Amino acid sequence: MAKGYGKILRVDLKTGKATTEEITEEFARKWVGGRGFGAKILYDEVRGAEPLSEGNKVIIATGPLAGTLCPQGAKTSFHTKSPLTGGYADSNMGGMFAPEMRYAGYDVIILENRAEKPSILVIDDDKVELRDAKEHWGKGAIDTELALKKELGEEFQCAVIGPAGENLVKFACITHDFGRQAGRTGIGAVLGHKRIKAVCVRGTKDAPVADIRAMERIAKRMHRTSRSHKDFKMWQDYGTSFFIPLSSEWGSLPTRNFQTGTYEHADKIDHKTMRERIVKLDKACFGCPMCCGKYSYSSRYKVYCEGCEYETMAMLGANCGLTDVEDVLYANWLCDNLGMDTISAGSVCAFIMEAGEKGLIQAAPKFGDAQGLFELLQKIARREGIGNVAAEGTKQLAAAYGGREFAMQVKGMEMSAYESRGAPAMLLSYMTCDVGAHHNRSWAVLKDLELGRDKIEGKADVVIDLQHKRPLFDILGCCRFCWIETGVPLEDYAEIFNAVTGFGFTVDDLLRVSERVWNLTRCYWWREVEGFGRSWDMPPEREMKEPVPSGAAKGLVVPPEKVNALLDDYYRKRGWDENGKPTKEKLTELGLDFAINDIYG
């Protein structure tokens, strides 16, 4: 077994049988961990299966830095074939699950087949068992996590689905630590189909480390760098919520279903209002000095909730026209307890609101109607009335009711919270993200401001660079915030990775792994999705045809000719052909020869 690594735990949900496998040094060197392990196992083991079928799998993977002294070593990646898009899917969350999983001795957990009845998977070091979930089925994710901690013990870390996952809502999420989510791609629906209400883990072992003294020395330096950064206190005070006024100022805050990017009521739901009115505690994931999580309470609705962070405030707040921070918090809590991704949920609800305004959907809530929004979220989770179609996502809503031009999605997944007609690099990030329109792979909006909002030159280079660096952290098993926000250099991450594994990698070596994973996930789309290609990378029509009507980005748009020029440049620099397929030469260069026959036949 490779130094610095645990084992792979494979669980047959039909029989309850659990087996373990070694992680070889060859496998670890090529794929490193986390997102790399999950992507390769999914590629090898889920071929041609329908997302909601027994043939699909859920692969839970974390990286070698999780559970160590590395700052923010808390990331868990969940991998599957997406029920929302039909293509490659991963979603990651922070909290405490990844360290506990490693302390139990596992870097990867593979869930295959389907349980005979609603079940809970309990992993207690080497003891693995399926327990009856009958008394928990139908209950909220937060409610269930609380009950499971009382039942099993506080030291167990639980990843839980809510009613949305049970009812196969295509953007259902996994909830952990009362507010951390693996939110995107519909991973919760796959667990729901497998009849797994929760995965709970406790470990009493050590995280394996090749050189403990070196790890300790480097980790202390990384923590000092982060804590001495000029923005450190702002992150502790506000978390990501301080982006609300900035995003509105830039013209990037999605407002009323991305109709514009500047919200006139941004100050009513921003970081300062939130801090003054609802925040009770700061909250951190494992090993995190930044404490960007905010634990809040609504006296009106009598609920506690971790939040709201920027994406949720934008998508359930400005994008749905809400003007009260307590209403946004309650919508956040509803999504968390029901088990729905707040980004997709906010986009779906905003689409319905705009479709109602345009006469396409009858009896739709209006923008700003908080009670209507709450009712709609509950209908979606239960698949009642229009909620049954809404549970399929905006792409299917538009197919059923019309309004394709304002269905804000790419590859079937809703755009996260940056209006991008004034940000071509950010738009390209959405277009080429390997799970659908998600910001976390390449947050390029600041580069748009720096290089010129209406320019496309150099934007592909920016996006590719970020798509190698940012997902690297999902491979390593740690959060990227100490790097991107408080100045910890990438060289420190390579150094602490080597202390843990003994591998002797450079930053360039690690980035090469990240590029390899990026191309493998692209190959998965080509192999699994009929007709996949350039057309799947195109953005919503609104971004190409409707100039922004107001605010800082007024008059801006990224017309089709610029969109295609962006893609041409991106594909060329990636080593892909004009339809976005990785060339044989690029695959051979990256050690992905095995994929050539899959996508070229």
Side-chain angles (χ1 to χ4, degrees):
M1 181 165 58
K3 287 182 180 179
Y5 290 89
K7 295 183 178 182
I8 297 172
L9 174 66
R10 187 180 296 270
V11 183
D12 185 332
L13 299 175
K14 183 176 289 187
T15 64
K17 181 181 179 182
T19 57
T20 59
E21 304 161 21
E22 301 289 338
I23 293 173
T24 66
E25 183 166 333
E26 179 185 12
F27 186 75
R29 281 182 174 274
K30 190 163 185 177
W31 303 104
V32 171
R35 183 169 177 266
F37 284 179
K40 181 59 164 67
I41 293 168
L42 183 74
Y43 190 92
D44 289 345
E45 299 191 11
V46 180
R47 181 184 293 260
E50 290 296 321
L52 297 180
S53 74
E54 207 168 281
N56 199 6
K57 299 186 181 185
V58 173
I59 299 142
I60 308 170
T62 188
L65 298 187
T68 70
L69 296 180
C70 177
Q72 304 176 322
K75 283 291 187 178
T76 311
S77 292
F78 293 80
H79 303 254
T80 196
K81 192 174 188 180
S82 172
L84 183 63
T85 69
Y88 169 79
D90 72 50
S91 185
N92 71 76
M93 69 183 185
M96 309 291 173
F97 192 91
E100 204 69 35
M101 181 172 150
R102 300 206 77 219
Y103 300 154
Y106 309 111
D107 280 29
V108 181
I109 302 169
I110 302 172
L111 307 181
E112 51 193 25
N113 294 319
R114 191 185 192 201
E116 298 290 342
K117 60 183 179 181
S119 302
I120 295 164
L121 178 63
V122 180
I123 302 166
D124 192 355
D125 281 330
D126 300 328
K127 184 180 179 182
V128 181
E129 62 177 325
L130 284 174
R131 297 188 182 181
D132 195 324
K134 183 179 179 180
E135 66 178 280
H136 302 292
W137 201 253
K139 294 182 179 177
I142 294 174
D143 301 331
T144 299
E145 185 175 6
L146 181 61
L148 288 172
K149 279 187 167 285
K150 288 180 179 178
E151 178 184 325
L152 299 171
E154 280 289 334
E155 64 271 28
F156 275 86
Q157 299 302 326
C158 305
V160 187
I161 65 167
E166 297 169 17
N167 294 325
L168 310 184
V169 173
K170 296 292 179 65
F171 45 90
C173 68
I174 295 170
T175 292
H176 158 66
D177 197 29
F178 307 102
R180 295 278 117 191
Q181 275 80 30
R184 313 238 57 198
T185 74
I187 186 74
V190 181
L191 274 189
H193 182 268
K194 291 189 176 300
R195 301 192 181 103
I196 295 298
K197 180 68 175 178
V199 178
C200 304
V201 61
R202 176 176 66 177
T204 60
K205 305 171 187 176
D206 294 328
V209 174
D211 187 339
I212 291 176
R213 296 301 178 201
M215 176 194 67
E216 182 180 18
R217 172 177 53 80
I218 301 157
K220 285 181 178 178
R221 184 175 75 221
M222 296 169 81
H223 277 273
R224 284 195 299 269
T225 300
S226 183
R227 295 182 69 88
S228 63
H229 194 275
K230 63 181 178 60
D231 292 335
F232 183 79
K233 187 175 188 305
M234 178 175 66
W235 277 99
Q236 285 204 321
D237 287 347
Y238 300 116
T240 61
S241 66
F242 72 84
F243 279 116
I244 287 288
L246 290 175
S247 188
S248 187
E249 179 185 323
W250 301 334
S252 294
L253 183 62
T255 299
R256 300 181 184 88
N257 196 35
F258 289 78
Q259 292 184 56
T260 190
T262 300
Y263 190 39
E264 68 274 21
H265 300 299
D267 62 329
K268 297 178 182 177
I269 60 169
D270 69 4
H271 59 308
K272 291 183 179 179
T273 302
M274 181 176 131
R275 188 85 209 186
E276 291 168 3
R277 287 186 54 189
I278 61 175
V279 172
K280 300 300 178 186
L281 295 168
D282 299 323
K283 185 170 179 277
C285 299
F286 176 90
C288 177
M290 292 173 69
C291 300
C292 75
K294 305 298 144 204
Y295 208 62
S296 302
Y297 177 71
S298 166
S299 57
R300 181 187 308 157
Y301 296 106
K302 305 294 189 292
V303 295
Y304 286 94
C305 178
E306 182 171 345
C308 309
E309 48 76 47
Y310 169 77
E311 296 290 332
T312 299
M313 295 175 85
M315 297 304 289
L316 289 172
N319 205 41
C320 291
L322 298 192
T323 58
D324 189 300
V325 72
E326 288 200 54
D327 290 339
V328 180
L329 180 72
Y330 186 64
N332 190 167
W333 178 84
L334 275 175
C335 285
D336 287 359
N337 205 35
L338 293 169
M340 288 192 295
D341 172 40
T342 56
I343 295 172
S344 282
S347 189
V348 163
C349 292
F351 175 91
I352 290 172
M353 290 172 176
E354 183 172 357
E357 284 187 343
K358 289 178 163 57
L360 299 175
I361 294 177
Q362 302 303 312
K366 297 184 183 302
F367 288 112
D369 179 1
Q371 293 301 319
L373 173 64
F374 304 155
E375 292 171 10
L376 184 53
L377 290 170
Q378 293 177 78
K379 285 179 180 178
I380 294 169
R382 296 192 296 262
R383 283 186 171 268
E384 292 179 354
I386 195 173
N388 189 46
V389 182
E392 301 290 310
T394 52
K395 186 176 181 179
Q396 295 306 315
L397 270 170
Y401 294 98
R404 184 169 63 94
E405 65 277 11
F406 56 86
M408 306 305 292
Q409 54 81 28
V410 181
K411 296 183 182 68
M413 192 165 83
E414 289 71 28
M415 286 173 59
S416 46
Y418 293 94
E419 197 333 274
S420 299
R421 282 168 282 183
M426 194 66 235
L427 187 62
L428 183 62
S429 299
Y430 286 139
M431 292 157 60
T432 58
C433 177
D434 63 350
V435 294
H438 193 31
H439 67 284
N440 82 330
R441 304 289 206 252
S442 172
W443 190 74
V445 64
L446 288 182
K447 286 294 184 180
D448 281 303
L449 297 175
E450 177 187 324
L451 297 175
R453 307 180 65 128
D454 58 344
K455 292 182 169 54
I456 63 169
E457 294 78 12
K459 300 295 177 74
D461 299 280
V462 166
V463 170
I464 292 169
D465 181 63
L466 289 172
Q467 286 175 341
H468 292 168
K469 289 176 178 174
R470 290 172 64 92
L472 174 61
F473 292 86
D474 300 336
I475 293 171
L476 294 172
C478 56
C479 178
R480 65 183 65 86
F481 272 14
C482 279
W483 163 65
I484 194 81
E485 307 298 355
T486 58
V488 177
L490 279 177
E491 288 75 14
D492 282 4
Y493 288 93
E495 198 174 338
I496 199 168
F497 168 78
N498 291 329
V500 170
T501 65
F503 282 1
F505 277 27
T506 64
V507 169
D508 286 343
D509 293 331
L510 288 171
L511 292 174
R512 191 65 160 172
V513 174
S514 194
E515 182 183 9
R516 181 179 298 128
V517 175
W518 193 268
N519 279 266
L520 182 71
T521 61
R522 185 72 176 189
C523 289
Y524 192 80
W525 279 94
W526 271 99
R527 190 186 75 189
E528 297 294 317
V529 177
E530 185 177 355
F532 184 75
R534 188 186 194 96
S535 65
W536 284 73
D537 290 339
M538 297 301 284
E541 288 186 21
R542 170 160 283 161
E543 301 294 284
M544 296 189 289
K545 296 181 178 180
E546 295 181 27
V548 179
S550 59
K554 183 177 180 180
L556 294 177
V557 69
V558 187
E561 61 271 20
K562 283 193 173 183
V563 165
N564 282 301
L566 283 166
L567 284 178
D568 287 341
D569 196 26
Y570 177 90
Y571 291 164
R572 183 173 58 255
K573 288 170 177 171
R574 272 268 176 224
W576 299 354
D577 70 16
E578 66 280 359
N579 201 25
K581 180 185 287 190
T583 62
K584 294 178 183 180
E585 293 77 15
K586 173 55 72 172
L587 295 177
T588 298
E589 174 194 320
L590 293 171
L592 299 174
D593 305 76
F594 59 84
I596 291 174
N597 190 59
D598 284 341
I599 68 172
Y600 282 96

